[in-house]
Amino acid sequence: MMGRFSVSSLVVAILCLVTREFVCKGETQLVICLEYDREALIDLKRGLKDPEDRLSSWSGSNCCQWRGIACENSTGAVIGIDLHNPYPLNFADSTSRYGYWNLSGDIRPSLLKLKSLRHLDLSFNKFQSIPVPKFFGSLKSLQYLNLSNAGFSGAIPSNLGNLSNLQYLDVSSGSLTADDLEWMAGLGSLKHLEMNQVDLSMIGSNWLQILNKLPFLTDLHLSGCGLSGSISSLDYVNFTSLAVIAIGGNNFNSKFPVWLVNISSLVSIDISSSSLYGRVPLGLSQLPNLKYLDLSMNNDLTASCFQLFRGNWKKIEFLELGSNKLHGKLPAPLENFAI
Ligand SMILES: *[C@@H]1O[C@H](CO)[C@@H](O)[C@H](O)[C@H]1NC(C)=O
Ligand SMILES: *[C@@H]1O[C@H](CO)[C@@H](O)[C@H](O)[C@H]1NC(C)=O
Ligand SMILES: *[C@@H]1O[C@H](CO)[C@@H](O)[C@H](O)[C@H]1NC(C)=O
Ligand SMILES: *[C@@H]1O[C@H](CO)[C@@H](O)[C@H](O)[C@H]1NC(C)=O
Ligand SMILES: *[C@@H]1O[C@H](CO)[C@@H](O)[C@H](O)[C@H]1NC(C)=O
Ligand SMILES: *[C@@H]1O[C@H](CO)[C@@H](O)[C@H](O)[C@H]1NC(C)=O
């Protein structure tokens, strides 16, 4: 059976080379999953509670065609599991189908058999207050992990620090906590970190130094995490690729982080409602790529509007500085602004 399949895929591959467009369309159907990976998924399914039968397609021999499963074309190895709930809670819309696709139950360690797993998305499910499994830290090939608002609770296990290939980590959730972030130093490939609403009030003041060790970080989202303590200085800016920093809704009680003006890649800054005080550095208006700046509701930030708005603001599209102590007149005309 397998032998015949290899021969036929070889024929298709040759036809593809010869005729390009025509024959190649059906190529995806020829990916047949590894039996070993299929069995792992079947065991995973056994542990899950699936009231809406989302996983009804998880039967039969070719797991590459099951809902949410992605396979590597050349080997048939399972590389992606996307079980996110596409109907998350939407307060504005009472007809929202939230809960319709909620998964819960146990996540079995059979997941570890998927040696090639690169992408795992369990976001917006209802894993009822179980902890994030420690063994997730052993999914060595993982590049994308999304556990956002999936119902997990308790401390995020430091084992996740073993995921040295991880590029995207989203653990945003009001029911998760972290006592320290030292383990993040192991996430050397990380580009995108989202931990909104995670209770980080216990992590102390060195979190910034730890994250500053992640050289590829482009997106940092730590909104409403109960962070406190000074963020005003860094000896040396290591995250030179940072494009998005969204750390509003914390309680820093700190002077403005002046080192931000050294990061020319910044596109978006949100440090609203975070008890910042002191001067807004004029260098912000010189950041060549900055499109979005929200520093509203800090109450005690000061700036001379005249000086600040004499800057270039080359690409600015959104600027919110309300509820602070800005003073002075605006220099006219503000060419770059649509007011
Ligand atoms: C597998 O092949 C299909 C069709 O050619 C392509 O769209 C898809 O991106 C490929 N997937 C991977 C992981 O290479
Ligand atoms: C999941 O959704 C079903 C149907 O909408 C609902 O009956 C059930 O209570 C939900 N489960 C959880 C754990 O919220
Ligand atoms: C994680 O999933 C949520 C909901 O499905 C989505 O809004 C969010 O953008 C995802 N995070 C990342 C980093 O892709
Ligand atoms: C990394 O994994 C090893 C086992 O492979 C484990 O002993 C260690 O505790 C893990 N480290 C972290 C930070 O999770
Ligand atoms: C900057 O990043 C490099 C490479 O990750 C690391 O070796 C170094 O310790 C970092 N420096 C600081 C001050 O964190
Ligand atoms: C920011 O740039 C200025 C001027 O180049 C330099 O003096 C300062 O040390 C830099 N600060 C950091 C934190 O890298």
Side-chain angles (χ1 to χ4, degrees):
M1 200 53 190
M2 282 312 281
R4 189 132 47 94
F5 165 67
S6 317
V7 172
S8 65
S9 57
L10 183 66
V11 170
V12 170
I14 292 167
L15 282 175
C16 279
L17 284 174
V18 177
T19 60
R20 299 237 161 192
E21 310 287 292
F22 302 108
V23 185
C24 309
K25 301 277 187 210
E27 189 186 20
T28 41
Q29 286 170 0
L30 288 173
V31 182
I32 305 278
C33 83
L34 297 176
E35 176 59 16
Y36 186 76
D37 287 13
R38 193 188 72 89
E39 281 167 15
L41 289 174
I42 289 289
D43 193 54
L44 184 70
K45 181 184 176 182
R46 279 194 202 111
L48 295 173
K49 286 188 195 144
D50 177 16
E52 305 293 335
D53 211 10
R54 277 174 70 182
L55 304 181
S56 58
S57 67
W58 285 34
S59 65
S61 63
N62 190 2
C63 70
C64 299
Q65 293 177 329
W66 296 357
R67 177 164 224 154
I69 300 301
C71 291
E72 194 165 55
N73 287 335
S74 52
T75 61
V78 171
I79 55 173
I81 302 180
D82 179 0
L83 295 178
H84 82 278
N85 177 357
Y87 304 108
L89 183 59
N90 180 353
F91 290 105
D93 174 11
S94 56
T95 64
S96 159
R97 299 167 76 196
Y98 183 67
Y100 184 69
W101 269 20
N102 53 9
L103 292 176
S104 60
D106 294 326
I107 300 174
R108 295 198 177 168
S110 42
L111 198 58
L112 291 177
K113 292 183 174 170
L114 304 171
K115 295 287 181 228
S116 304
L117 192 66
R118 299 205 285 254
H119 184 108
L120 179 60
D121 187 346
L122 299 174
S123 58
F124 285 96
N125 282 297
K126 287 256 183 83
F127 292 98
Q128 288 160 307
S129 303
I130 62 170
V132 172
K134 286 188 173 141
F135 67 76
F136 279 5
S138 304
L139 293 164
K140 297 248 186 289
S141 304
L142 221 51
Q143 295 173 0
Y144 179 99
L145 178 59
N146 195 338
L147 305 178
S148 162
N149 294 289
F152 295 108
S153 74
I156 298 168
S158 58
N159 306 61
L160 295 190
N162 279 347
L163 296 172
S164 57
N165 292 307
L166 201 64
Q167 296 176 8
Y168 296 83
L169 176 61
D170 190 343
V171 287
S172 298
S173 165
S175 54
L176 287 171
T177 66
D179 294 339
D180 76 71
L181 294 183
E182 302 284 349
W183 52 274
M184 281 209 175
L187 303 178
S189 306
L190 203 63
K191 292 181 186 166
H192 187 121
L193 176 62
E194 239 171 286
M195 304 182 80
N196 300 323
Q197 310 320 130
V198 174
D199 182 355
L200 300 180
S201 58
M202 301 304 287
I203 64 170
S205 55
N206 69 341
W207 62 274
L208 193 54
Q209 277 72 25
I210 292 168
L211 298 183
N212 192 29
K213 290 188 178 132
L214 303 174
F216 303 116
L217 202 63
T218 61
D219 283 65
L220 176 61
H221 302 258
L222 299 173
S223 300
C225 295
L227 290 167
S228 59
S230 176
I231 55 169
S232 65
S233 64
L234 265 185
D235 292 339
Y236 175 76
V237 178
N238 225 358
F239 25 53
T240 47
S241 310
L242 203 62
V244 176
I245 181 165
I247 55 175
N250 287 295
N251 191 20
F252 298 120
N253 211 348
S254 165
K255 284 191 179 165
F256 192 88
V258 281
W259 45 272
L260 286 178
V261 306
N262 288 45
I263 307 177
S264 59
S265 50
L266 276 169
V267 174
S268 173
I269 300 174
D270 177 354
I271 322 182
S272 54
S273 307
S274 288
S275 305
L276 294 181
Y277 62 88
R279 291 188 73 81
V280 177
L282 298 178
L284 278 186
S285 65
Q286 308 291 349
L287 282 171
N289 296 303
L290 194 65
K291 289 184 180 167
Y292 184 103
L293 177 63
D294 187 351
L295 300 176
S296 60
M297 317 257 266
N298 280 294
N299 300 327
D300 287 327
L301 279 176
T302 65
S304 149
C305 289
F306 187 75
Q307 288 180 325
L308 196 59
F309 285 85
R310 259 191 332 192
N312 287 340
W313 298 112
K314 272 215 180 79
K315 295 197 177 156
I316 202 82
E317 288 169 6
F318 179 96
L319 188 57
E320 170 69 272
L321 302 170
S323 298
N324 283 301
K325 289 182 177 154
L326 272 57
H327 59 87
K329 280 196 296 200
L330 291 174
L334 291 175
E335 291 161 30
N336 295 343
F337 294 90
I339 297 180

